[in-house]
Amino acid sequence: MAQSPLTGKLYAAPGNPGVAEHAEIVALELTDHAAVVTFCETQRVGLIVVGPEAPLVDGLTDSLRAAGFSVFGPSRAAAQLEGSKGFTKDLCERAGIPTAGYVRAKSLAEARAALTRFGAPVVIKADGLAAGKGVVVAMTMAEAEAAVDDMFDGAFGSAGAEVVIEEFMTGEEASFFALTDGATIVSFGSAQDHKRVGDGDVGPNTGGMGAYSPARVLTGELEAQVLSRIVAPTVKAMADEGMPYSGVLYAGLMLTEEGPKLIEYNARFGDPECQVLMMRLESDLVELLLACADNKLSSIESPRFSPDVAMTVVMAANGYPGTPDKGGRIDHIPAAEATGARVFHAGTALSGDGVLSANGGRVLNVTARGASVKEARDRAYVAVDAISFPTGFCRRDIGWREIEREEAEQG
């Protein structure tokens, strides 16, 4: 957004030391809608982008739109597509959108009955927002039973007051993005995320340990199917039911033998997928977001992307996705960026004496471009290795599936 010629002044809340290099950080409590509205009125803000899921589900966009602002992001009602797994599954059933079979359970007894019906392997999801961690893929009934016990015991707080039990789908995952103003839909690229914490896709699910774009496994033919069978019916159903969806629609997909099926929706660009999309985007992002906000998406040119591959590697604090080790010192980010990579900050903080430290679970996204996934990967890890972060870790195998395919093609 800072790169756009349409941007005069950029403000960010809550921000971090990386964002502070491009925007003025303002201290706003995002749950205090009146304070956010007052700030935007005082500064005569022309476009507001609500990024994270929590303020979207909390209805911040509704409060801002009611005050007359151009806002990018879905309404509280439309954000239920991310805010409630059960809501989305029910919508898919009504609209005939391909997805896994499921049961919604509001009690431990209902959940255990559903487990018996599906058997193992099975997927258990907290219904509400759980920072990307409320999903358990249980390979045995014992794991499944332990997962529902944890959720109803409050492991994910109110997000786990209801759970969704789903059939286990076999295939490869990919992510597809679309912008929509509630009527017009335009494609916004693809990516492949790596959810498990450890190399080889082992360990618990996280918010994402790295990603690359484009996801070549999502071919042009498959993207057309996703648009016609999943995204377009969703946008139509939401409009027909009086909650038109405006913003970015991020479809997490399973590419099965029967074709693409929806795993879940995010009502935002997603992290770490956003970083790789932005590294490839050649169009003016602000122009696109403003067109969405003002219901004018049909009047502007579709997004253009570089043919290059972008890859991002997440550097996380030790202990993530459990309790992260905060406070660890981080050095040599300029040396990493001198390699040509970009280092995006997530959970970082800057002390009064200028020392950068870890202040969250996922701390940095080290991102590079290349002509192939392998080239982008190699450049990203050169930059990773230039950074000093003794209390952090990363996966060393981001992009491994596509790199195996590239190497097979090369003989």
Side-chain angles (χ1 to χ4, degrees):
M1 293 182 71
Q3 293 169 11
S4 171
L6 298 175
T7 299
K9 177 77 174 178
L10 188 61
Y11 300 97
N16 62 36
V19 176
E21 295 175 12
H22 307 280
E24 181 179 325
I25 305 301
V26 292
L28 280 174
E29 177 52 62
L30 299 188
T31 56
D32 186 346
H33 294 194
V36 177
V37 168
T38 298
F39 174 83
C40 294
E41 287 175 340
T42 302
Q43 303 301 331
R44 300 174 66 188
V45 172
L47 171 66
I48 303 158
V49 178
V50 182
E53 63 271 37
L56 291 170
V57 170
D58 188 43
L60 180 57
T61 60
D62 301 79
S63 299
L64 290 163
R65 284 195 181 99
F69 290 102
S70 293
V71 186
F72 179 84
S75 66
R76 180 204 300 263
Q80 290 180 92
L81 280 176
E82 176 166 5
S84 169
K85 304 288 194 301
F87 170 88
T88 301
K89 299 297 283 191
D90 289 350
L91 182 94
C92 287
E93 190 167 63
R94 292 193 299 275
I97 294 165
T99 188
Y102 73 104
V103 170
R104 298 179 71 169
K106 294 184 178 180
S107 70
L108 184 58
E110 289 178 357
R112 283 185 172 270
L115 292 180
T116 302
R117 169 182 156 184
F118 284 113
V122 65
V123 181
I124 302 104
K125 297 180 178 179
D127 179 69
L129 298 178
K133 291 176 257 184
V135 178
V136 176
V137 180
M139 302 310 292
T140 67
M141 284 299 284
E143 290 174 358
E145 289 167 0
V148 297
D149 287 350
D150 284 349
M151 288 189 190
F152 283 107
D153 279 347
F156 299 106
S158 59
E162 178 177 338
V163 304
V164 177
I165 314 292
E166 293 186 11
E167 71 168 318
F168 178 83
M169 293 190 289
T170 301
E172 188 167 341
E173 290 188 39
S175 305
F176 178 78
F177 300 81
L179 298 180
T180 179
D181 55 13
T184 300
I185 302 167
V186 297
S187 298
F188 199 82
S190 64
Q192 189 169 68
D193 188 14
H194 297 65
K195 287 289 187 191
R196 300 295 187 114
V197 72
D199 285 9
D201 293 321
V202 300
N205 267 4
T206 71
M209 293 301 295
Y212 68 91
S213 173
R216 198 169 52 139
V217 69
L218 198 60
T219 62
E221 181 183 349
L222 289 177
E223 283 195 7
Q225 290 180 31
V226 172
L227 269 171
S228 64
R229 299 178 187 176
I230 297 176
V231 176
T234 300
V235 172
K236 182 178 187 303
M238 295 294 283
D240 289 348
E241 296 183 17
M243 41 189 160
Y245 189 97
S246 174
V248 61
L249 201 51
Y250 161 178
L253 306 166
M254 185 69 77
L255 307 181
T256 74
E257 290 183 353
E258 296 87 44
K261 293 186 179 183
L262 181 71
I263 300 173
E264 62 187 20
Y265 275 126
N266 287 334
R268 56 198 163 90
F269 280 110
D271 173 11
E273 297 86 352
C274 184
Q275 288 87 338
V276 289
L277 290 172
M278 294 305 150
M279 288 286 281
R280 296 181 55 238
L281 181 66
E282 295 180 338
S283 301
D284 185 334
L285 178 66
V286 172
E287 182 183 42
L288 289 161
L289 303 186
L290 196 57
C292 268
D294 293 343
N295 301 311
K296 296 177 179 176
L297 199 54
S298 64
S299 66
I300 67 164
E301 190 179 307
S302 293
R304 299 183 314 279
F305 289 90
S306 164
D308 277 1
V309 173
M311 177 177 288
T312 189
V313 177
V314 171
M315 298 185 77
N318 289 341
Y320 179 79
T323 303
D325 181 3
K326 293 186 181 181
R329 180 170 176 145
I330 303 163
D331 289 297
H332 308 317
I333 286 180
E337 294 200 316
T339 69
R342 291 291 301 274
V343 180
F344 295 96
H345 293 233
T348 63
L350 202 60
S351 66
D353 56 0
V355 173
L356 188 70
S357 62
N359 191 41
R362 290 183 298 165
V363 178
L364 300 171
N365 286 71
V366 183
T367 314
R369 278 172 45 165
S372 65
V373 176
K374 184 178 185 301
E375 186 173 89
R377 178 204 61 184
D378 291 347
R379 291 175 176 175
Y381 281 111
V382 166
V384 164
D385 292 337
I387 295 170
S388 173
F389 181 20
T391 60
F393 74 99
C394 69
R395 279 184 59 167
R396 305 295 307 194
D397 65 343
I398 303 303
W400 67 269
R401 289 184 190 85
E402 189 59 33
I403 290 168
E404 283 187 355
R405 285 190 281 261
E406 286 179 353
E407 290 174 344
E409 287 173 4
Q410 291 164 6

